Amino acid sequence: QDGVVCIGAFGRGSFAEREETAKMIPPVNSLVRYNNPILVATAKSKKPDAKATKEPAAVSQTEDILNSILPPREWTEDGQLWVQYVSSTPATRLDVINLQEELDRKLQQRQARETGICPVREELYSQTFDELIRQVTINCAERGLLLLRVRDEIRMTISAYQTLYESSVAFGMRKSLQAEQGKSDMEGRILSLEGEKKDLERQIQDLKAKCEAIEKRESERRQLEEKKHAEEVQFLKRTNAQLKQQLESILAPTAAAVKK
């Protein structure tokens, strides 16, 4: 039977929580090949039987490496604890072809997106890569361990990009909220400044009207003063002329008497 092996880079929760949940849920179909599940009498008993002790040491070492790369899965069903180990059967060329066809079928069946971020596609390809690691490890344990390092590095990189993406989204949301808040504050400031501008324009109009009234009043006053001054000048000129005539009339008989 098959079962779920990969833990996607976009999964939530700690590894311990996912492992505890997996123990309670029977596994579903996976692209990784597993042996038949084995009933365990108690939860503490991890070995399914004595089969591994009868096989050669090389096979036991390969199985140990496989179990370290792809840990056995445990789940509880009807109060019984089941364990399922990854298969140590070598893969043939036909198995690889079937794996490719099964991958294409599941991608289409689960409607995985061809581009962009897709957890379904990421999970299926992760299972395929784990199955390839299993097949390579059986033939060459060192090559399988090297592929394990590559797989872990890829998952760590994807996780880092995911964290960076989430941080950038959160940063963008904060900046957007700050911009919206700043926009409302700026709009309120603009309205306040427009009100102050109208008040100042009204004050300017009032001051202009006052200036025009003062200029008109001062102009009229100046015209009156100039008119009054001109009248006084004319009056003084007339007075001066009259006094001159009077003086001449007084001096004329005196001058005539002196001549005689």
Side-chain angles (χ1 to χ4, degrees), residues 40-53:
V40 180
T42 60
K44 297 181 179 179
S45 178
K46 297 297 182 182
K47 293 185 179 180
D49 51 29
K51 180 181 178 181
T53 60

Side-chain angles (χ1 to χ4, degrees), residues 4-237:
V4 175
V5 172
C6 90
I7 300 175
F10 301 103
R12 302 297 180 189
S14 64
F15 178 79
E17 293 176 351
R18 291 194 296 265
E19 185 179 15
E20 184 66 24
T21 304
K23 290 182 179 180
M24 304 300 297
I25 302 176
V28 295
N29 291 335
S30 170
L31 295 174
V32 181
R33 178 178 296 182
Y34 277 86
N35 292 325
N36 293 329
I38 301 171
L39 177 62
V40 180
T42 60
K44 297 181 179 179
S45 178
K46 297 297 182 182
K47 293 185 179 180
D49 51 29
K51 180 181 178 181
T53 60
K54 297 180 181 180
E55 294 184 7
V59 176
S60 299
Q61 182 179 4
T62 301
E63 288 184 350
D64 290 340
I65 295 176
L66 285 175
N67 291 334
S68 64
I69 295 176
L70 302 171
R73 293 161 317 131
E74 300 178 1
W75 71 94
T76 303
E77 184 177 2
D78 296 333
Q80 296 176 335
L81 179 64
W82 294 83
V83 177
Q84 192 173 28
Y85 290 85
V86 67
S87 176
S88 59
T89 304
T92 62
R93 181 175 179 274
L94 181 59
D95 292 334
V96 178
I97 295 176
N98 292 335
L99 176 63
Q100 181 178 357
E101 293 176 353
E102 184 68 12
L103 172 63
D104 295 336
R105 185 185 66 82
K106 286 194 173 185
L107 287 172
Q108 184 177 5
Q109 179 182 3
R110 298 180 63 177
Q111 299 180 352
R113 292 193 295 268
E114 296 181 359
T115 59
I117 298 176
C118 179
V120 174
R121 191 180 75 248
E122 187 268 343
E123 176 187 355
L124 293 177
Y125 274 97
S126 179
Q127 293 178 11
T128 304
F129 194 45
D130 287 342
E131 172 61 17
L132 292 177
I133 293 177
R134 184 195 71 83
Q135 296 176 8
V136 172
T137 304
I138 294 173
N139 296 327
C140 180
E142 291 77 9
R143 189 180 297 121
L145 292 174
L146 184 58
L147 286 177
L148 174 65
R149 289 182 57 186
V150 174
R151 183 198 70 177
D152 293 341
E153 177 64 25
I154 291 174
R155 290 183 177 179
M156 184 176 64
T157 303
I158 293 176
S159 178
Y161 278 121
Q162 176 67 8
T163 303
L164 181 62
Y165 170 77
E166 293 175 352
S167 300
S168 62
V169 169
F171 178 78
M173 290 297 296
R174 287 196 302 270
K175 287 298 182 182
S176 177
L177 293 175
Q178 291 176 2
E180 289 294 331
Q181 181 66 28
K183 180 181 178 181
S184 355
D185 296 341
M186 190 60 65
E187 289 177 351
R189 178 64 176 168
I190 289 173
L191 293 176
S192 175
L193 291 176
E194 287 179 350
E196 293 180 3
K197 176 186 174 183
K198 291 181 180 179
D199 293 338
L200 293 175
E201 289 177 349
R202 187 164 49 250
Q203 293 179 12
I204 290 174
Q205 295 297 328
D206 295 340
L207 293 175
K208 283 183 177 180
K210 290 180 179 180
C211 288
E212 292 176 355
I214 292 173
E215 289 178 355
K216 182 178 179 181
R217 185 168 61 251
E218 290 297 322
S219 176
E220 292 176 352
R221 186 180 62 80
R222 186 170 56 253
Q223 291 177 359
L224 291 175
E225 289 181 352
E226 290 177 353
K227 182 179 179 181
K228 182 178 179 181
H229 179 70
E231 291 177 352
E232 290 178 354
V233 169
Q234 292 297 328
F235 174 75
L236 292 174
K237 286 182 177 180

